[in-house]
Amino acid sequence: MEVGSLPVELWRLILAFLPLPDLGRCCLVCRAWRELVLSLDSTRWRQLCLGCPECRHPNWPRRPHLPPVSWREALRQHALASRTWTQNGSDLHSSACLHLFRRRKDRRVWHVGTVPGGGYETLRGALAAAGPYDKVVLHAGVYEEQVEVSLKVPVEIVGMGKLGDVSLLVSFDQQCPTARLCNLVFMPAWFSPVVYKTSSGHVQLDNCNFEGCQLHIRGPGTCQARFCSFAQGSSAHFLGVAISLMDSCEFSGGDSASVTVEGAPVSERNWAFKHLVALAKTFTMMTSNGSTEISNQGGKDIMGAGSHGHTPLEGVNTMEDWNKQEVDWETNWAKQKGGDSLLPSQDGTMIEEDGMETSSESSEEDDEQDGDKSTGLKLSYDQHGLAHLSKADTPDSSAFPALLNLSAELQRDTEARELAASVQGCLLRRCLLRDGKGGVHLCNHGQARLEANVFRGLNYAVRCIQNAKMVMLRNEVCGCKASGVFLRLSAQGLIAENNIHSNGEAGLDIRKGANPIILCNRIHSGLRSGIVVLGNGRGSIRSNQIYGNKEAGVYILFNGNPVVSGNHIFQGLAAGIAVNENGRGLITENVIRQNQWGGADIRRGGDPVLRNNYICYGYSDGVVVGERGRGLIEGNHIYGNRGCGVWVMSSSLPQLIGNHITHNRMYGLAVFCRKDTESAVSREGYRSLQERERGVGIGERDRGGPENFNEEGELMAWETVGVYVKSSEPLNVVANMVNSNRGAGVSVIQSAQLTRLVGNCVLSNGWTGVAVDRECRVELRGNGVYGNNCHGVCFRGDGLIVENDVVGNNAVGIRVMDSADVKVLRNRVQALRGYGISVKERVRGVVQENLVYQGHSTSTKTTIRTNAQNLECVVLNNSLLTPRTEPVLEIEDKQIQCTLGIVVLLASAEIL
């Protein structure tokens, strides 16, 4: 009979009454019949799956309200898994006939309880009569044994009726090769909390409840538990197991760890090992193919629908959007919509300590500038070693390095690939662990694999210590009172594609020599930090999304030394990455954006390598160096931050080389050292915008700030930009591009130690190119200071200004004032609307062998202005070049010397 003789809907109605064996026979008729039977997935196959007493809803216990992808496939997987216990070699097929004519041995069924026709009264009696692979059926009731029951032959024990109708107060000791228990409720006997244990055989547990009791498995024994509930403090203990599977189980209400895995896997294997490994690999493959269910249901990634794809910035997509904001964040003044002046006044944006570049000097500035507002004659500065960077567009979200997915990460990391493929120890899959003290505890070389589980409302989700190893894939960890995942004492493993969020402490806590590989996770919305690495902890942290945490996205301290690479760290309520208390680390190629405090915060002996990162669109400073901060800051793109690009609170140990610091709303680079706890005005200037608006005090900020590991209990007053660095060693700033910042390009304020600025390009900043405050010691050598909106160099401190290119700035080229003690030697200077070099007040030093170009052919002012009454400043052998009518000035680059990243321009001018 063909399918076409009746409507398909009628055939489906008829087939919906067939039992499972008949549906299988119909599939064998022909292809059309097979397709017809398979089309019954949401009707008949669903009924058969939910009606099976040996299993529960396929998505129980995590999401029982969601249907599976295929009801038929879920039923098939259950049927395959439920037969594992019977695959015990020739015992199942024993026969008196020759092996060529084997037949399946008949299994007898033994009934226990009140049964029509009679049955055994006790479980012990039925087990004594049962033969190998017989089935013992327990009818509704409570069965209790006063002494331990030993299982000496393979047997199946099944409870009749609904789950909960049959309860056992029995302690089993399995001494046979295999056994199966199904549809039972286990409660502890009066003499032991352990209800089941085995040390050599294999036990299969299907659809059972454990209430206030323990399951013990010791290697080479194995266990396969499916759709089991461990409630009221029940737990499972695995000691030296080679492999065991816990699939779709629920753990709740424990006062200790729900699952404990201890000891290295034993080398001895029982018969079930190879079958469980094959089944585990099948599970792993299925999870890999449909792995997005946890992350998709656990909350949409705010960067977009995909977990690891390129996505645009939220709120700020480009520098143009950033600049279009209506109100200046620092001053709360309305921005001038079309003006070139990026700062409406210096008050409120500059440090007013000692009168640094305040508006009170505006009358003097007007006197120093020509009345002619035309552009005059400009010298070219294209030959500077970093000038080519000024032509590059400011990066937007399309320039960010894309997050790699797990497959790409595994292809380039052999160790991670081997870990991802390993199946050994205890495997937990699709389990729910909730509302207890702990989830999974691994110790003493134990091994475990955790896939697609949900950890919720625990004190901690996973604790891995004492050389234990774990593979943690596609889990959700949320609502933990402490940290989500702990790794201690040389623990290691792979933690990948997990959704870790909303935990009371850090999402991941790595200490004491632990060295995990952390890939492609989403770590967000934590009440403290995202990842903490301390106490000689290590690890490789790559391609993660870390966002929305209340404290630092990644916090490294107390000799922590991880590799942090290729992550997107954004929208945190504190720093993006904080390196503190002698922390180290290699921090490369990350995107650190839109964080409330510094993008990178280094202090108190922190000594990281910060290289090739994008640090942008922050609500405070880009990079902050605090007290005793160290490190190499090299090749980073630091732009679009509402504070300074780089804020160094001293002339300290950090080395700044080859960074691109542009379009920040305050200084490009600021060096500030002196702690001024009495100046409330200064403190107010460097609190975050949100704190100033709501009036949050310093003490309030400390309670939620990045001081969760501060063992000294010290009150921090400058945490939005870090605290202060004091050192006897110089700060070296070499070959950086400082471009288009709204404040000064480089500002050195209250720094008693030497600061060296060598081979930098300071270009088109909204105020002075380089500003040096009183009592500061600064050496400027081989820098290009071009096209800034005010003075090129404003120098009030002590030091050297040697062989710099100071060209095209809107006010004075080099302005030396107050009681500065400085040598101005062999510079090339041109100012558009002011003096080339202005030496004012009681300056001491030498102005010698400088090449000074006049900016206007009609200007009547001298190119070098000095104070005739000042006899302590020597001005001699300077070349003053005045152009002819309508001249064109061309600069022929004679020599460029590059040594260790230091660019020194030696140029001569030819007047045509």
Side-chain angles (χ1 to χ4, degrees):
M1 180 172 58
E2 297 182 358
V3 175
S5 60
L6 287 176
V8 174
E9 291 77 10
L10 184 57
W11 277 114
R12 287 175 177 168
L13 183 62
I14 296 171
L15 295 176
F17 291 94
L18 296 182
L20 182 59
D22 291 340
L23 284 177
R25 296 184 182 99
C26 290
C27 282
L28 299 177
V29 174
C30 63
R31 180 177 298 177
W33 277 66
R34 182 177 183 275
E35 293 177 355
L36 182 61
V37 172
L38 295 182
S39 70
L40 303 175
D41 189 81
S42 61
T43 54
R44 184 54 179 162
W45 290 111
R46 179 179 181 274
Q47 293 174 356
L48 291 171
C49 189
L50 295 178
C52 177
E54 300 178 355
C55 67
R56 310 188 194 190
H57 189 286
N59 284 334
W60 184 89
R62 302 171 306 151
R63 296 177 180 86
H65 57 285
L66 297 178
V69 177
S70 169
W71 289 96
R72 184 190 65 84
E73 180 62 22
L75 186 61
R76 188 180 77 88
Q77 291 297 328
H78 163 72
L80 293 174
S82 64
R83 298 171 185 169
T84 303
W85 79 284
T86 64
Q87 300 176 17
N88 186 23
S90 60
D91 288 343
L92 184 60
H93 307 284
S94 59
S95 172
C97 301
L98 296 175
H99 71 279
L100 294 177
F101 302 96
R102 287 183 193 169
R103 60 181 175 83
R104 193 177 189 87
K105 182 179 179 181
D106 294 335
R107 298 177 58 199
R108 298 186 63 181
V109 179
W110 306 89
H111 293 271
V112 181
T114 304
V115 185
Y120 287 92
E121 294 183 359
T122 65
L123 174 61
R124 187 183 293 274
L127 291 174
Y133 300 98
D134 283 354
K135 184 175 185 179
V136 177
V137 178
L138 302 178
H139 292 260
V142 178
Y143 300 88
E144 183 176 6
E145 297 291 342
Q146 298 301 315
V147 296
E148 189 174 76
V149 175
S150 297
L151 300 180
K152 298 184 180 298
V153 295
V155 68
E156 181 179 21
I157 304 174
V158 180
M160 288 288 290
K162 297 180 180 179
L163 180 62
D165 291 347
V166 179
S167 298
L168 299 179
L169 282 78
V170 180
S171 179
F172 290 99
D173 179 12
Q174 179 181 331
Q175 300 175 4
C176 57
T178 184
R180 180 173 185 251
L181 295 91
C182 178
N183 207 38
L184 302 170
V185 176
F186 291 91
M187 293 181 287
W190 66 272
F191 56 88
S192 175
V194 180
V195 296
Y196 201 97
K197 63 183 179 181
T198 183
S199 59
S200 59
H202 170 74
V203 59
Q204 181 164 330
L205 302 167
D206 291 326
N207 198 31
C208 293
N209 282 0
F210 293 79
E211 298 181 359
C213 53
Q214 298 176 9
L215 169 68
H216 281 199
I217 309 296
R218 180 186 293 269
T222 56
C223 173
Q224 181 184 2
R226 303 177 64 253
F227 298 105
C228 293
S229 176
F230 292 76
Q232 302 177 19
S234 297
S235 59
H237 296 256
F238 299 90
L239 180 61
V241 294
I243 190 168
S244 284
L245 308 182
M246 306 287 286
D247 184 23
S248 300
C249 295
E250 180 181 22
F251 298 83
S252 62
D255 56 0
S256 61
S258 298
V259 179
T260 300
V261 183
E262 182 178 0
V266 297
S267 58
E268 186 181 355
R269 306 287 191 254
N270 68 4
W271 68 269
F273 177 82
K274 62 180 181 180
H275 301 286
L276 293 180
V277 168
L279 191 60
K281 290 183 177 179
T282 302
F283 286 167
T284 301
M285 186 177 301
M286 291 174 56
T287 307
S288 300
N289 292 336
S291 62
T292 57
E293 58 175 330
I294 287 288
S295 57
N296 289 344
Q297 297 299 329
K300 291 285 188 181
D301 177 12
I302 64 173
M303 292 181 67
S307 294
H308 294 277
H310 168 69
T311 51
L313 286 166
E314 287 203 350
V316 181
N317 292 320
T318 64
M319 185 56 64
E320 182 180 359
D321 296 333
W322 185 258
N323 289 331
K324 284 181 180 178
Q325 297 185 20
E326 295 295 329
V327 178
D328 187 288
W329 74 279
E330 178 68 27
T331 62
N332 282 334
W333 293 330
K335 275 181 51 181
Q336 300 174 5
K337 291 297 180 73
D340 293 333
S341 178
L342 297 179
L343 293 175
S345 167
Q346 288 126 342
D347 296 334
T349 57
M350 302 294 181
I351 295 296
E352 297 191 25
E353 181 73 18
D354 297 332
M356 181 64 180
E357 289 299 332
T358 61
S359 59
S360 62
E361 300 171 354
S362 58
S363 60
E364 297 183 16
E365 292 171 5
D366 292 340
D367 182 62
E368 292 181 355
Q369 297 180 10
D370 285 328
D372 186 3
K373 302 300 181 181
S374 62
T375 58
L377 303 171
K378 294 184 179 180
L379 299 180
S380 170
Y381 43 82
D382 292 339
Q383 296 299 325
H384 189 276
L386 298 178
H388 66 282
L389 297 179
S390 66
K391 300 178 181 179
D393 294 334
T394 300
D396 57 16
S397 59
S398 62
F400 293 161
L403 284 167
L404 299 180
N405 58 28
L406 182 57
S407 297
E409 284 286 359
L410 295 181
Q411 287 178 1
R412 67 177 191 171
D413 189 333
T414 303
E415 181 183 0
R417 185 165 61 250
E418 291 175 353
L419 284 171
S422 65
V423 178
Q424 197 169 25
C426 181
L427 170 61
L428 265 73
R429 177 179 178 267
R430 301 190 305 190
C431 295
L432 171 63
L433 299 93
R434 62 177 179 87
D435 304 328
K437 181 177 181 180
V440 178
H441 179 73
L442 292 91
C443 60
N444 194 21
H445 298 273
Q447 296 188 23
R449 185 183 182 97
L450 314 177
E451 291 190 52
N453 303 287
V454 174
F455 300 84
R456 185 173 64 227
L458 303 163
N459 278 8
Y460 66 87
V462 181
R463 184 184 294 271
C464 186
I465 63 174
Q466 296 172 335
N467 295 285
K469 182 186 296 185
M470 69 173 176
V471 177
M472 189 173 176
L473 300 175
R474 307 178 187 97
N475 302 275
E476 181 179 3
V477 178
C478 63
C480 294
K481 297 179 179 61
S483 296
V485 181
F486 287 88
L487 295 105
R488 302 281 193 280
L489 299 172
S490 302
Q492 54 185 311
L494 173 66
I495 302 172
E497 288 193 341
N498 301 281
N499 183 17
I500 303 173
H501 64 95
S502 308
N503 297 290
E505 296 286 344
L508 285 91
D509 190 313
I510 304 168
R511 309 190 188 196
K512 296 183 179 179
N515 188 20
I517 300 173
I518 302 170
L519 305 177
C520 306
N521 301 278
R522 293 194 296 132
I523 304 169
H524 61 99
S525 307
L527 298 182
R528 304 201 78 165
S529 299
I531 300 177
V532 170
V533 185
L534 69 156
N536 295 303
R538 294 177 293 163
S540 181
I541 303 169
R542 306 198 303 267
S543 298
N544 301 279
Q545 296 182 67
I546 305 171
Y547 60 92
N549 297 287
K550 190 172 182 180
E551 295 183 3
V554 178
Y555 203 172
I556 306 169
L557 65 167
F558 297 126
N559 296 309
N561 189 19
V563 175
V564 184
S565 176
N567 304 279
H568 285 205
I569 304 172
F570 58 99
Q571 296 182 356
L573 300 182
I577 295 179
V579 185
N580 204 336
E581 304 292 355
N582 299 312
R584 291 173 291 165
L586 176 61
I587 303 168
T588 63
E589 298 179 355
N590 302 280
V591 177
I592 306 171
R593 60 177 176 86
Q594 293 178 283
N595 295 285
Q596 292 291 331
W597 295 1
D601 189 300
I602 306 167
R603 47 182 164 159
R604 294 184 184 176
D607 188 13
V609 174
L610 194 68
R611 180 179 290 141
N612 298 336
N613 301 279
Y614 287 80
I615 304 174
C616 56
Y617 302 121
Y619 294 95
S620 186
D621 302 296
V623 176
V624 175
V625 181
E627 181 182 359
R628 303 190 308 276
R630 302 169 62 92
L632 174 63
I633 303 171
E634 180 180 10
N636 301 282
H637 291 263
I638 305 170
Y639 62 94
N641 298 286
R642 291 189 173 184
C644 301
V646 179
W647 184 277
V648 181
M649 295 232 177
S650 87
S651 47
S652 182
L653 300 182
Q655 308 297 314
L656 282 78
I657 300 175
N659 300 282
H660 198 169
I661 306 171
T662 67
H663 296 89
N664 299 285
R665 289 204 177 183
M666 291 180 66
Y667 310 105
L669 168 64
V671 181
F672 186 87
C673 175
R674 185 184 307 154
K675 191 180 283 190
D676 186 9
T677 56
E678 297 179 358
S679 177
V681 175
S682 296
R683 282 201 302 270
E684 180 70 18
Y686 291 92
R687 287 162 57 196
S688 68
L689 174 62
Q690 290 78 4
E691 290 172 350
R692 286 195 298 273
E693 290 177 345
R694 65 175 184 265
V696 176
I698 298 300
E700 296 180 60
R701 183 169 67 241
D702 287 336
R703 291 195 292 269
E707 293 303 313
N708 47 333
F709 293 96
N710 181 12
E711 298 177 348
E712 301 174 4
E714 181 180 349
L715 177 65
M716 296 302 144
W718 296 72
E719 289 176 345
T720 58
V721 290
V723 281
Y724 327 89
V725 176
K726 291 184 177 180
S727 171
S728 60
E729 298 188 31
L731 167 66
N732 293 321
V733 182
V734 180
N736 299 278
M737 167 59 72
V738 185
N739 181 18
S740 301
N741 302 285
R742 292 195 176 188
V746 177
S747 184
V748 183
I749 309 168
Q750 297 184 357
S751 177
Q753 304 304 324
L754 177 61
T755 300
R756 292 194 183 104
L757 303 175
V758 181
N760 302 280
C761 185
V762 184
L763 173 67
S764 301
N765 295 284
W767 198 240
T768 302
V770 178
V772 179
D773 202 359
R774 299 181 183 94
E775 300 180 6
C776 297
R777 295 174 53 212
V778 176
E779 177 183 333
L780 300 177
R781 187 180 296 272
N783 301 280
V785 184
Y786 307 122
N788 297 284
N789 205 40
C790 191
H791 310 299
V793 177
C794 184
F795 207 98
R796 301 171 185 242
D798 301 335
L800 297 173
I801 306 175
V802 180
E803 296 177 350
N804 299 279
D805 220 14
V806 186
V807 172
N809 300 284
N810 262 355
V812 178
I814 298 177
R815 188 189 195 208
V816 185
M817 56 191 304
D818 291 348
S819 56
D821 187 351
V822 61
K823 294 181 179 180
V824 184
L825 306 174
R826 298 185 300 279
N827 300 279
R828 188 183 75 137
V829 184
Q830 184 208 30
L832 295 183
R833 300 207 306 262
Y835 298 104
I837 299 176
S838 175
V839 181
K840 300 177 59 178
E841 301 170 2
R842 294 184 298 177
V843 172
R844 292 171 296 170
V846 177
V847 179
Q848 184 177 358
E849 296 181 3
N850 297 282
L851 186 62
V852 184
Y853 297 84
Q854 187 172 351
H856 291 272
S857 59
T858 59
S859 176
T860 59
K861 292 185 177 181
T862 61
T863 53
I864 298 180
R865 176 190 178 183
T866 60
N867 184 355
Q869 299 178 355
N870 184 2
L871 302 179
E872 296 186 13
C873 182
V874 178
V875 180
L876 53 87
N877 295 335
N878 297 283
S879 300
L880 309 179
L881 301 183
T882 302
R884 299 174 183 175
T885 304
E886 297 182 359
V888 178
L889 300 181
E890 292 186 0
I891 305 301
E892 180 183 357
D893 184 35
K894 296 297 185 182
Q895 185 176 7
I896 298 179
Q897 297 181 350
C898 299
T899 305
L900 297 178
I902 299 176
V903 180
V904 180
L905 289 180
L906 304 177
S908 63
E910 179 179 353
I911 302 178
L912 302 180

